[in-house]
PDB file of all heavy atoms in Angstrom:
ATOM      1  N   GLU J  22     106.003 111.037 102.558  1.00 98.00           N
ATOM      2  CA  GLU J  22     107.023 112.049 102.300  1.00 98.00           C
ATOM      3  C   GLU J  22     107.258 112.171 100.805  1.00 98.00           C
ATOM      4  O   GLU J  22     107.299 111.171 100.087  1.00 98.00           O
ATOM      5  CB  GLU J  22     108.330 111.654 103.001  1.00 98.00           C
ATOM      6  CG  GLU J  22     109.415 112.722 102.950  1.00 98.00           C
ATOM      7  CD  GLU J  22     110.172 112.749 101.623  1.00 98.00           C
ATOM      8  OE1 GLU J  22     110.355 111.680 101.009  1.00 98.00           O
ATOM      9  OE2 GLU J  22     110.572 113.859 101.193  1.00 98.00           O
ATOM     10  N   GLY J  23     107.399 113.413 100.330  1.00 97.00           N
ATOM     11  CA  GLY J  23     107.751 113.579  98.934  1.00 97.00           C
ATOM     12  C   GLY J  23     107.036 114.726  98.261  1.00 97.00           C
ATOM     13  O   GLY J  23     106.133 115.356  98.825  1.00 97.00           O
ATOM     14  N   PRO J  24     107.394 115.006  97.004  1.00 97.00           N
ATOM     15  CA  PRO J  24     106.776 116.067  96.224  1.00 97.00           C
ATOM     16  C   PRO J  24     105.543 115.566  95.483  1.00 97.00           C
ATOM     17  O   PRO J  24     105.040 114.472  95.769  1.00 97.00           O
ATOM     18  CB  PRO J  24     107.893 116.452  95.241  1.00 97.00           C
ATOM     19  CG  PRO J  24     108.578 115.138  94.978  1.00 97.00           C
ATOM     20  CD  PRO J  24     108.511 114.371  96.279  1.00 97.00           C
ATOM     21  N   HIS J  25     105.089 116.334  94.520  1.00 97.00           N
ATOM     22  CA  HIS J  25     103.974 115.924  93.666  1.00 97.00           C
ATOM     23  C   HIS J  25     104.517 114.940  92.638  1.00 97.00           C
ATOM     24  O   HIS J  25     104.932 115.308  91.541  1.00 97.00           O
ATOM     25  CB  HIS J  25     103.364 117.150  92.976  1.00 97.00           C
ATOM     26  CG  HIS J  25     102.139 116.825  92.165  1.00 97.00           C
ATOM     27  ND1 HIS J  25     100.937 116.491  92.739  1.00 97.00           N
ATOM     28  CD2 HIS J  25     101.944 116.772  90.822  1.00 97.00           C
ATOM     29  CE1 HIS J  25     100.052 116.247  91.787  1.00 97.00           C
ATOM     30  NE2 HIS J  25     100.639 116.403  90.613  1.00 97.00           N
ATOM     31  N   LYS J  26     104.521 113.663  93.012  1.00 96.00           N
ATOM     32  CA  LYS J  26     105.172 112.648  92.195  1.00 96.00           C
ATOM     33  C   LYS J  26     104.531 111.293  92.467  1.00 96.00           C
ATOM     34  O   LYS J  26     104.052 111.021  93.576  1.00 96.00           O
ATOM     35  CB  LYS J  26     106.671 112.605  92.526  1.00 96.00           C
ATOM     36  CG  LYS J  26     107.504 111.731  91.615  1.00 96.00           C
ATOM     37  CD  LYS J  26     108.982 111.833  91.985  1.00 96.00           C
ATOM     38  CE  LYS J  26     109.844 110.966  91.083  1.00 96.00           C
ATOM     39  NZ  LYS J  26     111.285 111.058  91.458  1.00 96.00           N
ATOM     40  N   ASP J  27     104.540 110.441  91.454  1.00 95.00           N
ATOM     41  CA  ASP J  27     103.996 109.084  91.568  1.00 95.00           C
ATOM     42  C   ASP J  27     105.050 108.192  92.225  1.00 95.00           C
ATOM     43  O   ASP J  27     105.929 107.664  91.557  1.00 95.00           O
ATOM     44  CB  ASP J  27     103.649 108.582  90.163  1.00 95.00           C
ATOM     45  CG  ASP J  27     102.890 107.265  90.174  1.00 95.00           C
ATOM     46  OD1 ASP J  27     102.177 106.998  91.149  1.00 95.00           O
ATOM     47  OD2 ASP J  27     103.007 106.520  89.178  1.00 95.00           O
ATOM     48  N   THR J  28     104.965 108.017  93.536  1.00 95.00           N
ATOM     49  CA  THR J  28     106.012 107.305  94.270  1.00 95.00           C
ATOM     50  C   THR J  28     105.520 105.961  94.791  1.00 95.00           C
ATOM     51  O   THR J  28     104.324 105.743  94.999  1.00 95.00           O
ATOM     52  CB  THR J  28     106.492 108.131  95.477  1.00 95.00           C
ATOM     53  OG1 THR J  28     105.418 108.239  96.425  1.00 95.00           O
ATOM     54  CG2 THR J  28     106.942 109.521  95.047  1.00 95.00           C
ATOM     55  N   GLN J  29     106.463 105.078  95.045  1.00 96.00           N
ATOM     56  CA  GLN J  29     106.124 103.770  95.599  1.00 96.00           C
ATOM     57  C   GLN J  29     105.522 103.896  96.986  1.00 96.00           C
ATOM     58  O   GLN J  29     104.666 103.089  97.381  1.00 96.00           O
ATOM     59  CB  GLN J  29     107.367 102.880  95.627  1.00 96.00           C
ATOM     60  CG  GLN J  29     107.067 101.432  95.996  1.00 96.00           C
ATOM     61  CD  GLN J  29     108.284 100.542  95.892  1.00 96.00           C
ATOM     62  OE1 GLN J  29     109.394 100.984  96.142  1.00 96.00           O
ATOM     63  NE2 GLN J  29     108.075  99.288  95.514  1.00 96.00           N
ATOM     64  N   ASP J  30     105.940 104.926  97.735  1.00 96.00           N
ATOM     65  CA  ASP J  30     105.371 105.131  99.066  1.00 96.00           C
ATOM     66  C   ASP J  30     103.860 105.351  98.999  1.00 96.00           C
ATOM     67  O   ASP J  30     103.135 105.008  99.941  1.00 96.00           O
ATOM     68  CB  ASP J  30     106.026 106.346  99.729  1.00 96.00           C
ATOM     69  CG  ASP J  30     107.466 106.082 100.119  1.00 96.00           C
ATOM     70  OD1 ASP J  30     107.856 104.903 100.164  1.00 96.00           O
ATOM     71  OD2 ASP J  30     108.212 107.057 100.359  1.00 96.00           O
ATOM     72  N   LEU J  31     103.384 105.929  97.903  1.00 96.00           N
ATOM     73  CA  LEU J  31     101.943 106.108  97.716  1.00 96.00           C
ATOM     74  C   LEU J  31     101.277 104.847  97.167  1.00 96.00           C
ATOM     75  O   LEU J  31     100.147 104.530  97.537  1.00 96.00           O
ATOM     76  CB  LEU J  31     101.676 107.288  96.762  1.00 96.00           C
ATOM     77  CG  LEU J  31     101.890 108.691  97.328  1.00 96.00           C
ATOM     78  CD1 LEU J  31     101.903 109.721  96.202  1.00 96.00           C
ATOM     79  CD2 LEU J  31     100.804 109.051  98.340  1.00 96.00           C
ATOM     80  N   TRP J  32     101.979 104.148  96.262  1.00 96.00           N
ATOM     81  CA  TRP J  32     101.347 102.985  95.638  1.00 96.00           C
ATOM     82  C   TRP J  32     100.968 101.910  96.640  1.00 96.00           C
ATOM     83  O   TRP J  32      99.847 101.391  96.621  1.00 96.00           O
ATOM     84  CB  TRP J  32     102.286 102.310  94.630  1.00 96.00           C
ATOM     85  CG  TRP J  32     102.909 103.168  93.612  1.00 96.00           C
ATOM     86  CD1 TRP J  32     102.495 104.399  93.179  1.00 96.00           C
ATOM     87  CD2 TRP J  32     104.104 102.860  92.883  1.00 96.00           C
ATOM     88  NE1 TRP J  32     103.345 104.877  92.226  1.00 96.00           N
ATOM     89  CE2 TRP J  32     104.341 103.960  92.022  1.00 96.00           C
ATOM     90  CE3 TRP J  32     104.978 101.775  92.875  1.00 96.00           C
ATOM     91  CZ2 TRP J  32     105.429 103.989  91.156  1.00 96.00           C
ATOM     92  CZ3 TRP J  32     106.051 101.807  92.014  1.00 96.00           C
ATOM     93  CH2 TRP J  32     106.280 102.900  91.161  1.00 96.00           C
ATOM     94  N   VAL J  33     101.918 101.552  97.511  1.00 97.00           N
ATOM     95  CA  VAL J  33     101.744 100.351  98.337  1.00 97.00           C
ATOM     96  C   VAL J  33     100.520 100.457  99.253  1.00 97.00           C
ATOM     97  O   VAL J  33      99.709  99.520  99.321  1.00 97.00           O
ATOM     98  CB  VAL J  33     103.030 100.033  99.130  1.00 97.00           C
ATOM     99  CG1 VAL J  33     102.789  98.899 100.107  1.00 97.00           C
ATOM    100  CG2 VAL J  33     104.171  99.676  98.160  1.00 97.00           C
ATOM    101  N   PRO J  34     100.318 101.571  99.970  1.00 97.00           N
ATOM    102  CA  PRO J  34      99.099 101.642 100.796  1.00 97.00           C
ATOM    103  C   PRO J  34      97.812 101.623  99.975  1.00 97.00           C
ATOM    104  O   PRO J  34      96.788 101.117 100.446  1.00 97.00           O
ATOM    105  CB  PRO J  34      99.264 102.974 101.542  1.00 97.00           C
ATOM    106  CG  PRO J  34     100.731 103.247 101.528  1.00 97.00           C
ATOM    107  CD  PRO J  34     101.213 102.727 100.221  1.00 97.00           C
ATOM    108  N   VAL J  35      97.866 102.170  98.759  1.00 98.00           N
ATOM    109  CA  VAL J  35      96.690 102.110  97.890  1.00 98.00           C
ATOM    110  C   VAL J  35      96.389 100.661  97.515  1.00 98.00           C
ATOM    111  O   VAL J  35      95.231 100.215  97.568  1.00 98.00           O
ATOM    112  CB  VAL J  35      96.899 102.981  96.635  1.00 98.00           C
ATOM    113  CG1 VAL J  35      95.816 102.714  95.593  1.00 98.00           C
ATOM    114  CG2 VAL J  35      96.905 104.462  97.009  1.00 98.00           C
ATOM    115  N   PHE J  36      97.429  99.916  97.149  1.00 98.00           N
ATOM    116  CA  PHE J  36      97.229  98.496  96.841  1.00 98.00           C
ATOM    117  C   PHE J  36      96.641  97.764  98.041  1.00 98.00           C
ATOM    118  O   PHE J  36      95.722  96.945  97.907  1.00 98.00           O
ATOM    119  CB  PHE J  36      98.565  97.840  96.456  1.00 98.00           C
ATOM    120  CG  PHE J  36      99.181  98.369  95.192  1.00 98.00           C
ATOM    121  CD1 PHE J  36     100.555  98.283  94.993  1.00 98.00           C
ATOM    122  CD2 PHE J  36      98.410  98.957  94.207  1.00 98.00           C
ATOM    123  CE1 PHE J  36     101.137  98.767  93.830  1.00 98.00           C
ATOM    124  CE2 PHE J  36      98.983  99.447  93.037  1.00 98.00           C
ATOM    125  CZ  PHE J  36     100.349  99.344  92.848  1.00 98.00           C
ATOM    126  N   ARG J  37      97.147  98.052  99.225  1.00 98.00           N
ATOM    127  CA  ARG J  37      96.656  97.378 100.433  1.00 98.00           C
ATOM    128  C   ARG J  37      95.189  97.751 100.714  1.00 98.00           C
ATOM    129  O   ARG J  37      94.407  96.916 101.175  1.00 98.00           O
ATOM    130  CB  ARG J  37      97.521  97.742 101.638  1.00 98.00           C
ATOM    131  CG  ARG J  37      98.941  97.177 101.573  1.00 98.00           C
ATOM    132  CD  ARG J  37      99.665  97.370 102.891  1.00 98.00           C
ATOM    133  NE  ARG J  37      99.041  96.568 103.944  1.00 98.00           N
ATOM    134  CZ  ARG J  37      98.897  96.978 105.205  1.00 98.00           C
ATOM    135  NH1 ARG J  37      99.321  98.173 105.572  1.00 98.00           N
ATOM    136  NH2 ARG J  37      98.349  96.183 106.099  1.00 98.00           N
ATOM    137  N   TRP J  38      94.823  99.009 100.453  1.00 98.00           N
ATOM    138  CA  TRP J  38      93.444  99.450 100.682  1.00 98.00           C
ATOM    139  C   TRP J  38      92.472  98.669  99.796  1.00 98.00           C
ATOM    140  O   TRP J  38      91.438  98.187 100.256  1.00 98.00           O
ATOM    141  CB  TRP J  38      93.345 100.948 100.411  1.00 98.00           C
ATOM    142  CG  TRP J  38      92.046 101.589 100.789  1.00 98.00           C
ATOM    143  CD1 TRP J  38      90.990 101.868  99.973  1.00 98.00           C
ATOM    144  CD2 TRP J  38      91.649 102.051 102.094  1.00 98.00           C
ATOM    145  NE1 TRP J  38      89.969 102.479 100.663  1.00 98.00           N
ATOM    146  CE2 TRP J  38      90.356 102.606 101.973  1.00 98.00           C
ATOM    147  CE3 TRP J  38      92.268 102.055 103.337  1.00 98.00           C
ATOM    148  CZ2 TRP J  38      89.677 103.159 103.059  1.00 98.00           C
ATOM    149  CZ3 TRP J  38      91.590 102.604 104.419  1.00 98.00           C
ATOM    150  CH2 TRP J  38      90.311 103.140 104.274  1.00 98.00           C
ATOM    151  N   PHE J  39      92.837  98.515  98.526  1.00 98.00           N
ATOM    152  CA  PHE J  39      91.978  97.739  97.633  1.00 98.00           C
ATOM    153  C   PHE J  39      91.930  96.273  98.054  1.00 98.00           C
ATOM    154  O   PHE J  39      90.851  95.651  98.041  1.00 98.00           O
ATOM    155  CB  PHE J  39      92.458  97.860  96.185  1.00 98.00           C
ATOM    156  CG  PHE J  39      92.095  99.166  95.541  1.00 98.00           C
ATOM    157  CD1 PHE J  39      93.071  99.978  94.990  1.00 98.00           C
ATOM    158  CD2 PHE J  39      90.775  99.591  95.480  1.00 98.00           C
ATOM    159  CE1 PHE J  39      92.732 101.191  94.386  1.00 98.00           C
ATOM    160  CE2 PHE J  39      90.434 100.799  94.879  1.00 98.00           C
ATOM    161  CZ  PHE J  39      91.415 101.594  94.335  1.00 98.00           C
ATOM    162  N   ASN J  40      93.061  95.697  98.408  1.00 98.00           N
ATOM    163  CA  ASN J  40      93.062  94.304  98.871  1.00 98.00           C
ATOM    164  C   ASN J  40      92.144  94.120 100.080  1.00 98.00           C
ATOM    165  O   ASN J  40      91.398  93.144 100.192  1.00 98.00           O
ATOM    166  CB  ASN J  40      94.477  93.871  99.248  1.00 98.00           C
ATOM    167  CG  ASN J  40      95.297  93.461  98.045  1.00 98.00           C
ATOM    168  OD1 ASN J  40      94.783  93.339  96.935  1.00 98.00           O
ATOM    169  ND2 ASN J  40      96.587  93.238  98.257  1.00 98.00           N
ATOM    170  N   ARG J  41      92.206  95.081 100.979  1.00 98.00           N
ATOM    171  CA  ARG J  41      91.420  94.999 102.209  1.00 98.00           C
ATOM    172  C   ARG J  41      89.921  95.022 101.934  1.00 98.00           C
ATOM    173  O   ARG J  41      89.166  94.209 102.489  1.00 98.00           O
ATOM    174  CB  ARG J  41      91.811  96.161 103.128  1.00 98.00           C
ATOM    175  CG  ARG J  41      91.008  96.286 104.405  1.00 98.00           C
ATOM    176  CD  ARG J  41      91.515  97.492 105.176  1.00 98.00           C
ATOM    177  NE  ARG J  41      90.648  97.881 106.262  1.00 98.00           N
ATOM    178  CZ  ARG J  41      90.778  99.012 106.956  1.00 98.00           C
ATOM    179  NH1 ARG J  41      91.765  99.845 106.659  1.00 98.00           N
ATOM    180  NH2 ARG J  41      89.951  99.298 107.925  1.00 98.00           N
ATOM    181  N   PHE J  42      89.489  95.938 101.069  1.00 98.00           N
ATOM    182  CA  PHE J  42      88.048  96.132 100.902  1.00 98.00           C
ATOM    183  C   PHE J  42      87.458  95.388  99.704  1.00 98.00           C
ATOM    184  O   PHE J  42      86.246  95.189  99.658  1.00 98.00           O
ATOM    185  CB  PHE J  42      87.737  97.626 100.796  1.00 98.00           C
ATOM    186  CG  PHE J  42      87.822  98.348 102.113  1.00 98.00           C
ATOM    187  CD1 PHE J  42      88.933  99.097 102.440  1.00 98.00           C
ATOM    188  CD2 PHE J  42      86.791  98.259 103.035  1.00 98.00           C
ATOM    189  CE1 PHE J  42      89.021  99.756 103.655  1.00 98.00           C
ATOM    190  CE2 PHE J  42      86.866  98.905 104.256  1.00 98.00           C
ATOM    191  CZ  PHE J  42      87.979  99.656 104.571  1.00 98.00           C
ATOM    192  N   LEU J  43      88.260  95.008  98.739  1.00 98.00           N
ATOM    193  CA  LEU J  43      87.732  94.283  97.585  1.00 98.00           C
ATOM    194  C   LEU J  43      88.043  92.796  97.618  1.00 98.00           C
ATOM    195  O   LEU J  43      87.374  92.005  96.947  1.00 98.00           O
ATOM    196  CB  LEU J  43      88.279  94.882  96.280  1.00 98.00           C
ATOM    197  CG  LEU J  43      87.786  96.292  95.919  1.00 98.00           C
ATOM    198  CD1 LEU J  43      88.437  96.768  94.632  1.00 98.00           C
ATOM    199  CD2 LEU J  43      86.258  96.340  95.785  1.00 98.00           C
ATOM    200  N   LYS J  44      89.059  92.401  98.420  1.00 98.00           N
ATOM    201  CA  LYS J  44      89.443  90.980  98.462  1.00 98.00           C
ATOM    202  C   LYS J  44      89.485  90.423  99.882  1.00 98.00           C
ATOM    203  O   LYS J  44      89.815  89.248 100.067  1.00 98.00           O
ATOM    204  CB  LYS J  44      90.825  90.807  97.814  1.00 98.00           C
ATOM    205  CG  LYS J  44      90.847  91.142  96.329  1.00 98.00           C
ATOM    206  CD  LYS J  44      92.254  91.102  95.749  1.00 98.00           C
ATOM    207  CE  LYS J  44      92.816  89.723  95.704  1.00 98.00           C
ATOM    208  NZ  LYS J  44      94.167  89.701  95.063  1.00 98.00           N
ATOM    209  N   ASN J  45      89.188  91.274 100.873  1.00 98.00           N
ATOM    210  CA  ASN J  45      89.256  90.851 102.275  1.00 98.00           C
ATOM    211  C   ASN J  45      90.617  90.252 102.594  1.00 98.00           C
ATOM    212  O   ASN J  45      90.749  89.231 103.278  1.00 98.00           O
ATOM    213  CB  ASN J  45      88.140  89.836 102.590  1.00 98.00           C
ATOM    214  CG  ASN J  45      87.938  89.647 104.075  1.00 98.00           C
ATOM    215  OD1 ASN J  45      88.204  90.551 104.871  1.00 98.00           O
ATOM    216  ND2 ASN J  45      87.481  88.471 104.470  1.00 98.00           N
ATOM    217  N   ASP J  46      91.658  90.921 102.117  1.00 97.00           N
ATOM    218  CA  ASP J  46      93.035  90.452 102.245  1.00 97.00           C
ATOM    219  C   ASP J  46      93.842  91.514 102.979  1.00 97.00           C
ATOM    220  O   ASP J  46      94.013  92.633 102.483  1.00 97.00           O
ATOM    221  CB  ASP J  46      93.621  90.195 100.852  1.00 97.00           C
ATOM    222  CG  ASP J  46      95.070  89.720 100.882  1.00 97.00           C
ATOM    223  OD1 ASP J  46      95.654  89.622 101.978  1.00 97.00           O
ATOM    224  OD2 ASP J  46      95.618  89.476  99.793  1.00 97.00           O
ATOM    225  N   GLU J  47      94.322  91.198 104.165  1.00 96.00           N
ATOM    226  CA  GLU J  47      95.097  92.145 104.974  1.00 96.00           C
ATOM    227  C   GLU J  47      96.598  91.863 104.898  1.00 96.00           C
ATOM    228  O   GLU J  47      97.384  92.401 105.672  1.00 96.00           O
ATOM    229  CB  GLU J  47      94.642  92.072 106.439  1.00 96.00           C
ATOM    230  CG  GLU J  47      93.196  92.481 106.671  1.00 96.00           C
ATOM    231  CD  GLU J  47      93.025  93.978 106.872  1.00 96.00           C
ATOM    232  OE1 GLU J  47      94.008  94.720 106.654  1.00 96.00           O
ATOM    233  OE2 GLU J  47      91.913  94.391 107.260  1.00 96.00           O
ATOM    234  N   GLY J  48      97.010  91.025 103.974  1.00 95.00           N
ATOM    235  CA  GLY J  48      98.409  90.629 103.889  1.00 95.00           C
ATOM    236  C   GLY J  48      99.320  91.748 103.407  1.00 95.00           C
ATOM    237  O   GLY J  48      98.880  92.828 102.989  1.00 95.00           O
ATOM    238  N   THR J  49     100.618  91.466 103.458  1.00 95.00           N
ATOM    239  CA  THR J  49     101.612  92.438 103.015  1.00 95.00           C
ATOM    240  C   THR J  49     101.731  92.419 101.486  1.00 95.00           C
ATOM    241  O   THR J  49     101.302  91.473 100.819  1.00 95.00           O
ATOM    242  CB  THR J  49     102.986  92.136 103.636  1.00 95.00           C
ATOM    243  OG1 THR J  49     103.378  90.807 103.270  1.00 95.00           O
ATOM    244  CG2 THR J  49     102.927  92.254 105.145  1.00 95.00           C
ATOM    245  N   ILE J  50     102.323  93.467 100.958  1.00 95.00           N
ATOM    246  CA  ILE J  50     102.546  93.582  99.516  1.00 95.00           C
ATOM    247  C   ILE J  50     103.957  93.092  99.213  1.00 95.00           C
ATOM    248  O   ILE J  50     104.949  93.665  99.690  1.00 95.00           O
ATOM    249  CB  ILE J  50     102.391  95.039  99.038  1.00 95.00           C
ATOM    250  CG1 ILE J  50     100.996  95.568  99.393  1.00 95.00           C
ATOM    251  CG2 ILE J  50     102.654  95.150  97.546  1.00 95.00           C
ATOM    252  CD1 ILE J  50      99.858  94.833  98.759  1.00 95.00           C
ATOM    253  N   ASP J  51     104.060  92.031  98.426  1.00 92.00           N
ATOM    254  CA  ASP J  51     105.384  91.473  98.174  1.00 92.00           C
ATOM    255  C   ASP J  51     105.782  91.524  96.699  1.00 92.00           C
ATOM    256  O   ASP J  51     106.822  90.989  96.314  1.00 92.00           O
ATOM    257  CB  ASP J  51     105.471  90.023  98.680  1.00 92.00           C
ATOM    258  CG  ASP J  51     104.404  89.130  98.078  1.00 92.00           C
ATOM    259  OD1 ASP J  51     103.674  89.587  97.170  1.00 92.00           O
ATOM    260  OD2 ASP J  51     104.300  87.968  98.511  1.00 92.00           O
ATOM    261  N   LYS J  52     104.955  92.178  95.878  1.00 89.00           N
ATOM    262  CA  LYS J  52     105.302  92.350  94.474  1.00 89.00           C
ATOM    263  C   LYS J  52     105.494  93.827  94.174  1.00 89.00           C
ATOM    264  O   LYS J  52     104.679  94.656  94.571  1.00 89.00           O
ATOM    265  CB  LYS J  52     104.213  91.776  93.564  1.00 89.00           C
ATOM    266  CG  LYS J  52     104.149  90.257  93.555  1.00 89.00           C
ATOM    267  CD  LYS J  52     103.173  89.753  92.504  1.00 89.00           C
ATOM    268  CE  LYS J  52     103.163  88.224  92.474  1.00 89.00           C
ATOM    269  NZ  LYS J  52     102.241  87.692  91.439  1.00 89.00           N
ATOM    270  N   VAL J  53     106.558  94.129  93.460  1.00 92.00           N
ATOM    271  CA  VAL J  53     106.869  95.516  93.120  1.00 92.00           C
ATOM    272  C   VAL J  53     106.136  95.901  91.843  1.00 92.00           C
ATOM    273  O   VAL J  53     106.046  95.113  90.901  1.00 92.00           O
ATOM    274  CB  VAL J  53     108.390  95.695  92.931  1.00 92.00           C
ATOM    275  CG1 VAL J  53     108.712  97.114  92.495  1.00 92.00           C
ATOM    276  CG2 VAL J  53     109.125  95.340  94.214  1.00 92.00           C
ATOM    277  N   ALA J  54     105.597  97.112  91.813  1.00 95.00           N
ATOM    278  CA  ALA J  54     104.974  97.623  90.594  1.00 95.00           C
ATOM    279  C   ALA J  54     106.048  98.264  89.729  1.00 95.00           C
ATOM    280  O   ALA J  54     106.720  99.212  90.157  1.00 95.00           O
ATOM    281  CB  ALA J  54     103.901  98.652  90.944  1.00 95.00           C
TER     282      ALA J  54
END
C-alpha cells in the first residue's frame, strides 16, 4: 500500500528476498533500516 515512495513496507520484503536467495536465510527481519 502506498504512493510512489521509498517505504519500509517495500524494503523489508526486498531484504528477505536477498536473504533467501543469497544467504539461504528464511528468517525474519529484526533490524530497521
Side-chain angles (χ1 to χ4, degrees):
E22 187 280 327
H25 185 71
K26 188 177 180 181
D27 188 29
T28 66
Q29 189 175 33
D30 289 344
L31 286 167
W32 309 339
V33 173
V35 169
F36 295 155
R37 292 190 66 218
W38 188 262
F39 283 124
N40 278 351
R41 175 181 168 190
F42 285 101
L43 292 178
K44 295 174 68 177
N45 195 28
D46 179 358
E47 297 273 9
T49 58
I50 302 298
D51 56 7
K52 288 187 178 181
V53 177

